[in-house]
Amino acid sequence: MFDSLSGKLQSVFKNLRGLGKISESNVSDSLREVRLALLDADVNFKVARDFIERVKEQAIGQKVIQSIQPGQQIIKIINDELVGLLGSTNSALDLSADPSCLMLVGLHGSGKTTSSGKLARLLHKEGRSPLLVACDVYRPAAMDQLLTLGKQLGLPVFARKGETDVLRIAREAMDEARATGRNTLIFDTAGRLQIDEELVQELVRLRDLVKPREILLVLDAATGQEAVNVATHFDQALQVTGSILTRLDGDARGGAALSLKTVTGKPIKFVGVGEKLEDFEPFHPERMASRILGMGDVVSLVERAAEAVDMDDAKRMEEKMRKGQFTLEDFLDQLRQMKKLGSLESIVGMLPGGADMLKQADLSKGEKEFKRMEGMICAMTLQERRHPQILNAKRRIRIAKGSGVGVAELNSLLKRFGQMQQMMKKMGKFQKMMSKMGGGGAAAAGMLRGGR
Amino acid sequence: MGFFDRLKAGLQRTQSKLVHEIKRIVTRSPKITASSLEELEAALIAADLGMQVTQRIVAAVGKAYESQGRGGADILEIASREVAADLTLGSLGLKKCEQGPTVVSIVGVNGTGKTTTAAKLGRHVVARGDTAMLAACDTFRAAAIEQLKLWGERLDLPVVSGAYGADPSSVAHDAVRSAVAREMSYLFIDTAGRLHTKQNLMQELQKLHRVIGKQLPGAPHETLLILDATTGMNAMNQAREFNKAAPLTGLVITKLDGTSKGGMVIAIQKELGVPVKFIGLGEQPDDLQPFVPKEFAEALFADPEAKAV
């Protein structure tokens, strides 16, 4: 799915090994690839161009460290630069006023209402008493949506159904907050186009009335080149203080984040990573940088694994692997755990260089293979799964018939399982690491590779 | 206001900017050079046309220049021709079954405008004399059902709904039954927004389609993917994955009234062969327009001075 930038750069630099320093001409070729990768990730083309210029100056003249590939060196420079650009020190919310007001603004469908709810939950957990204010007077049932979120969170929502004057809602909400002792107001505003002057002015008036310490621009991570226009307009009209990037749980590369940050200079404070109200995190510039560059996202993979895999199980499994007591029964467990992680394609895609692998191998085939393995193991008795050595010809014929495969396929499974057991004994250290990431991946992937 | 005017008005900002950019490139540099081609490329990329389409157009322009020499209108002509060639395919407009209701499933990622589009589509078919029913199958998002119901009230369309947290397939099942019983000509199913990367949610969608297919053979007759015009390259992934899970029969581009271009549809059509059927140009019920490929391509590239708007 993603073109691996490292792969491309590697080929650009293939003939350059042994050069002492990176020169202008060999940098230019590689930077074109970087530029394409950035554009492919939806970074605005002007932002990409400026960015490349900066990197170029830095890259020229740097020594190529012999032990690593020049391509890697360039990537490191780019990555560091990206992290530097995306990162920020003042990403905490300013909640010093009493009451503190926060305003969420953005285009239609960027996720303002959901983010409002998520933010309220977070602030509530930090000991504040938030009041959600429904200022979307345009979209049908927008207020209901916020009221429902409030109910789910057990937090108060201020809404005046049928009222179309946003300022009146805001004034009443402020009174309400004072009367009920809420110290943080979150204003969920209606989605609007940045060029809709009338509606943008409404926001300006709202801002002047409630004097929010934080105005957060909510932007969908999949936004394209348009991100720059959106950010510029909203920032000019309202002087936003930061932004929230939503739907990072998809596979959008999120180049919009870089455009956004470059244009406004304001920090990205939070990211939305799922549909549930707890799927809300502080922004991590390192992860975003590797995501934009399409270099895999091992951190997310580990997190996903941690979610799907029971840690105690994983430890027990690791112990078994090391001692070579790994049985077909355990293998079946692992196959099933793998399924919970999602499709093979999505897992491999998150690994560095995984994108390249995806191009070469048809993983849906591998997935089918997993299913067949599962079937074969299921056709065995418990005793057979624990002691595969007892599988004689008769038993094998029975199992093959029971699972609808040929004996040859069963044999090859058993043979590969044997090899895997051997390998596991040898590679104690290696799989210690892998099993921490969820064991299943290591064993099952090893199994698959054996089959090719 | 006719379709072309509306589309033009909607695309005006895009168009003038793009034309301006290209003109500037052409008039400033006497010869086509690597750098002027790169600038052309940048202008096309800014319209979210995607790398592949952009590179093809740039290559075509470069080639034409080599053979014809330089001329201001050529760049626009070539670009427009390339785009139009990619966009003219497939059947346009909504299918209509001869017997029984035509079931239209509306799918897409979160926040692209599915609910609004479902309502607008309902209005669209009613305006041409058909009957329509809406099914609120987004049982997940807070107030999604109320949103569709409110639209139903506004447009005077019947809405079938269930409870929050209910299996969307069961709501769809009831809706199909009801549409058959009430002899509706169209049933629009508003599904929950789902990211194309969430396997379980894609399976939920497949199940929904299976269930209505059992209830009414051939259903859903149309599966429309709703794409937000502000979406960049990810639109391609969205289309690919949705098409894999539930073969698409058409695309709807929403929010084209902004400065966004929706240029990604060109690449999507090219790769998947799924036509754009409608475009959304605003928040009003009338702001959904049938898509006309040639006009879209022309409106995107047309020279505003040559064709007075």
Side-chain angles (χ1 to χ4, degrees), chain A residues 412-444:
Chain A
S412 94
L413 168 80
L414 291 170
K415 196 173 146 205
R416 271 147 62 189
F417 179 71
Q419 286 166 352
M420 199 170 80
Q421 264 184 329
Q422 292 294 316
M423 203 172 75
M424 276 183 187
K425 278 181 209 163
K426 279 183 211 157
M427 296 175 43
K429 243 189 190 171
F430 173 69
Q431 9 103 2
K432 202 174 188 179
M433 183 184 83
M434 292 299 276
S435 68
K436 263 184 204 144
M437 299 181 22

Side-chain angles (χ1 to χ4, degrees), chain A residues 350-410:
Chain A
M350 275 194 256
L351 294 169
D356 264 355
M357 233 157 94
L358 280 180
K359 255 189 263 161
Q360 290 154 14
D362 180 11
L363 284 175
S364 58
K365 240 177 166 180
E367 210 130 358
K368 263 187 206 147
E369 219 173 310
F370 277 171
K371 245 188 208 159
R372 294 178 81 90
M373 288 183 199
E374 202 182 324
M376 286 186 266
I377 299 173
C378 284
M380 296 175 192
T381 64
L382 271 185
Q383 207 194 358
E384 286 165 346
R385 293 181 206 177
R386 283 173 197 158
H387 309 283
Q389 62 274 16
I390 66 166
L391 287 168
N392 56 22
K394 221 174 160 184
R395 285 177 188 263
R396 287 183 191 215
I397 292 168
R398 191 205 79 235
I399 292 164
K401 265 192 190 157
S403 53
V405 302
V407 179
E409 195 175 340
L410 177 64

Side-chain angles (χ1 to χ4, degrees), chain A residues 36 42 108 222 224 226 249 251, chain B residues 51 196 198 230 232-234 259:
Chain A
L36 288 180
D42 286 326
H108 307 267
E226 189 66 2
D249 47 333
D251 61 355
Chain B
M51 284 315 294
H196 51 291
K198 301 266 165 80
T230 39
M233 301 303 124
N234 196 242
T259 46

Side-chain angles (χ1 to χ4, degrees), chain B residues 103-107 209 220-225 246-251 274:
Chain B
V103 179
V104 181
S105 174
I106 293 162
V107 303
H209 281 188
H221 307 92
E222 290 262 21
T223 304
L224 300 179
L225 175 69
L248 303 171
T249 59
L251 307 171
V274 179

